[in-house]
Amino acid sequence: MILGVNVDHIATLRQARLGVEPDPIMAATLAILGGADGITVHLREDRRHINDRDLDLLKQIVPVELNLEMAATAEMLKIAKEKKPDLVTIVPEKREELTTEGGLEMRANRKSLKQAIQRLKGSGLNVSLFINPIGADIELSREAGADIVEIHTGAYANARGAIREKELLRIQKAVRRAEESGLIVHAGHGLNYQNVPAIAEIKGVRGLYIGHSIISRAVLVGIEKAVREMKDLISVSVCNKLMR
């Protein structure tokens, strides 16, 4: 199972002073030294954290999977086709949100998403859709032409007790259905050092995409150690799954 580390919040800290540090490029390099299998950045329309210069440099230096999260706008489609990241993950985006609040509205946007996917795949790009753990959304993702779905784990991460168990079951069912539909499955959002094992144990999940919790820990222990600790947690969970 791969670990993709999102370095957006390194750029968030940089933008707090509109300066040059901390540099997300350096953070990405250290995350890779700590064991990250991929680097994720979300290039937002308002450039509130990651900017075009960051994407340019990451494309030049990152030797692992570079995952570009973006809205399916004309501007972002053009950038993705020019920069050619290893993976494009289409996500919903609202100017007023603090972070991505949920998966794509698949039914309402299925026509425009299909067109966006066709344009991206026409340039040889692999495309993932960030969706809620809903069976209908998985089928719509397949019909739209996606290669991959990333299951939104936010509801699970924010829940407790019996509600969390219910949300975990929803994710497990969604992963199985996505596999049956021939889709590669990723998962992410809100995952941290306490709640990640249960997701890592789900058979069929190729990769976990985690940012805020790793960067938060990195403030205290350093990014290499923070990434290594998360990687170790995931590895142990995968081993537990295989032993059952």
Side-chain angles (χ1 to χ4, degrees):
M1 181 176 292
I2 72 169
L3 170 62
V5 176
N6 187 315
V7 297
D8 287 355
H9 290 298
I10 297 294
T12 298
L13 186 57
R14 176 189 65 192
Q15 296 308 105
R17 289 290 183 91
L18 298 177
V20 297
E21 59 182 14
D23 190 342
I25 312 307
M26 185 176 293
T29 301
L30 293 172
I32 294 166
L33 288 174
D37 304 292
I39 297 296
T40 295
V41 290
H42 183 173
L43 186 66
R44 285 180 171 267
E45 181 184 14
D46 60 11
R47 309 301 198 270
R48 69 175 66 168
H49 39 58
I50 292 296
N51 58 38
D52 299 78
R53 168 262 187 192
D54 298 328
L55 180 59
D56 285 340
L57 291 177
L58 287 169
K59 173 61 180 175
Q60 292 176 41
I61 71 166
V62 167
V64 295
E65 177 191 83
L66 178 59
N67 174 27
L68 173 61
E69 293 183 342
M70 63 177 219
T73 64
E75 179 196 20
M76 291 302 158
L77 291 171
K78 182 174 183 291
I79 289 172
K81 291 172 71 174
E82 289 175 352
K83 304 305 178 186
K84 296 191 180 301
D86 301 295
L87 175 64
V88 173
T89 300
I90 298 177
V91 300
E93 187 175 305
K94 300 176 185 176
R95 278 185 176 270
E96 66 273 16
E97 68 188 1
L98 290 175
T99 185
T100 305
E101 296 173 345
L104 292 159
E105 294 290 340
M106 289 300 303
R107 191 167 297 280
N109 298 298
R110 55 184 171 180
K111 184 177 180 180
S112 60
L113 287 170
K114 184 173 183 177
Q115 292 171 344
I117 290 170
Q118 287 174 341
R119 289 183 61 187
L120 293 168
K121 293 181 77 170
S123 295
L125 295 168
N126 296 312
V127 184
S128 174
L129 296 180
F130 186 66
I131 66 170
N132 294 311
I134 299 171
D137 285 358
I138 290 164
E139 292 307 312
L140 288 169
S141 298
R142 181 186 59 79
E143 292 171 9
D147 305 292
I148 304 166
V149 289
E150 181 177 342
I151 304 297
H152 179 257
T153 54
Y156 158 80
N158 293 330
R160 297 292 181 272
I163 298 176
R164 174 172 284 186
E165 291 302 314
K166 182 179 178 181
E167 291 297 333
L168 178 61
L169 182 60
R170 287 181 70 211
I171 294 168
Q172 291 169 337
K173 289 180 177 178
V175 171
R176 285 199 298 271
R177 185 156 182 178
E179 274 200 300
E180 290 167 358
S181 297
L183 295 166
I184 298 170
V185 188
H186 295 161
H189 199 81
L191 298 178
N192 59 36
Y193 295 84
Q194 287 73 48
N195 62 32
V196 75
I199 302 299
E201 289 178 8
I202 299 175
K203 183 180 178 181
V205 176
R206 171 185 178 263
L208 299 178
Y209 291 77
I210 304 173
H212 188 266
S213 65
I214 292 176
I215 302 306
S216 297
R217 181 163 294 201
V219 172
L220 303 176
V221 304
I223 194 162
E224 283 186 67
K225 184 176 181 182
V227 171
R228 193 171 294 113
E229 289 174 352
M230 181 62 78
K231 184 78 173 180
D232 289 346
L233 266 175
I234 292 170
S235 296
V236 168
S237 299
V238 170
C239 287
N240 289 340
K241 171 180 65 180
L242 294 174
M243 290 173 65
R244 288 176 184 161

